[in-house]
Amino acid sequence: DVVMTQTPVSLSVSLGGQVSISCRSSQSLVHNNGNTYLSWYLQKPGQSPQLLIYKVSNRFSGISDRFSGSGSGTDFTLKISRVEPDDLGVYYCGQGTQYPPTFGAGTKLELK
Amino acid sequence: QVQLKESGPGLVQPSETLSLTCTVSGFSLTSYSVSWVRQPSGKGPEWMGRMWYDGDTAYNSALKSRLSISRDTSKNQVFLKMNSLQTDDTGTYYCTRALPGGEGYWGQGVMVTVSS
């Protein structure tokens, strides 16, 4: 299975600040069809995960442009700008290129 | 709007079978695929399997021998059955509406505890 490694494990940020979360996969996530199926999710306290970004850099429906994804191959980054209180929680990256789809262990975003 | 809701028992005895139902609304099961994903407390999600829009299924090989996913399109429901449950199967179970390479919409989840 593809192992997804996220760094850091936790992150402290001031409101209005900017943060980056890294995700590295144990194998290339470039699919045979040319697409790269790397997604980012946010799980707020007590809630289900919600999709933020799919195929590396595409924002899901209703997601603010303060969230941006980038990367290629095995290295990916999620950037959050102008952090708001509602952004706090655990962020997961996930891959859907190789079966079975797998997720990272999460990065917890907290207030400084 | 798109909605998914999981239902099933909150407590299962070790070695017994877990049966969960995902009831969907706002979309057709013959147009979109539905996945099952579980999450132990404090850990990352684990993808379990998928009911494809065309009726085909895919399973995580780690669970394949114990897992079965089926559907009733007339009732807008997808079912999960997993046998031989153990304590490390405890966690929250979600159904999701899949999109290419990811899980787009998630249900609220159902907490399942395996304990005698």
Side-chain angles (χ1 to χ4, degrees):
Chain A
D1 295 1
V2 177
V3 177
M4 306 298 288
T5 302
Q6 290 182 235
T7 54
V9 172
S10 64
L11 204 46
S12 294
V13 64
S14 300
L15 293 178
Q18 176 174 296
V19 295
S20 292
I21 299 171
S22 175
C23 177
R24 179 167 290 179
S25 58
S26 61
Q27 302 173 31
S28 172
L29 298 187
V30 180
H31 193 276
N32 289 340
N33 64 14
N35 288 312
T36 300
Y37 295 112
L38 184 283
S39 302
W40 290 96
Y41 304 83
L42 165 60
Q43 188 168 30
K44 300 176 186 178
Q47 295 188 19
S48 309
Q50 62 178 104
L51 179 64
L52 301 173
I53 302 281
Y54 65 98
K55 287 201 291 184
V56 181
S57 60
N58 295 274
R59 277 184 296 276
F60 193 53
S61 174
I63 299 303
S64 167
D65 61 4
R66 296 184 299 102
F67 293 89
S68 63
S70 63
S72 62
T74 61
D75 286 293
F76 304 92
T77 301
L78 175 71
K79 286 186 182 174
I80 313 166
S81 60
R82 305 185 303 281
V83 170
E84 299 178 358
D86 200 42
D87 299 338
L88 304 181
V90 181
Y91 288 80
Y92 296 98
C93 61
Q95 68 82 23
T97 295
Q98 303 275 358
Y99 267 77
T102 50
F103 297 86
T107 295
K108 187 172 186 179
L109 184 62
E110 300 173 303
L111 269 184
K112 191 176 289 183
Chain B
Q1 74 272 30
V2 174
Q3 290 188 319
L4 305 97
K5 186 171 183 180
E6 307 85 351
S7 58
L11 180 65
V12 179
Q13 305 273 341
S15 80
E16 296 294 301
T17 296
L18 173 66
S19 294
L20 298 176
T21 299
C22 174
T23 303
V24 310
S25 60
F27 68 97
S28 170
L29 292 177
T30 58
S31 298
Y32 292 91
S33 304
V34 170
S35 303
W36 286 96
V37 178
R38 68 178 181 176
Q39 185 176 31
S41 180
K43 295 189 176 182
E46 177 186 28
W47 186 87
M48 301 180 71
R50 182 171 292 159
M51 169 60 72
W52 289 96
Y53 63 91
D54 62 1
D56 199 3
T57 52
Y59 298 104
N60 188 325
S61 56
L63 302 171
K64 189 172 183 178
S65 63
R66 300 196 288 142
L67 184 61
S68 175
I69 297 174
S70 59
R71 70 180 182 180
D72 184 335
T73 56
S74 67
K75 294 183 178 179
N76 295 320
Q77 291 180 326
V78 180
F79 308 104
L80 176 148
K81 285 191 190 305
M82 189 162 70
N83 58 32
S84 306
L85 254 62
Q86 300 302 322
T87 54
D88 60 2
D89 292 313
T90 293
T92 300
Y93 286 69
Y94 300 98
C95 58
T96 74
R97 192 180 92 171
L99 76 167
E103 311 303 331
Y105 294 90
W106 296 61
Q108 65 189 22
V110 58
M111 178 66 193
V112 174
T113 301
V114 182
S115 175
S116 55

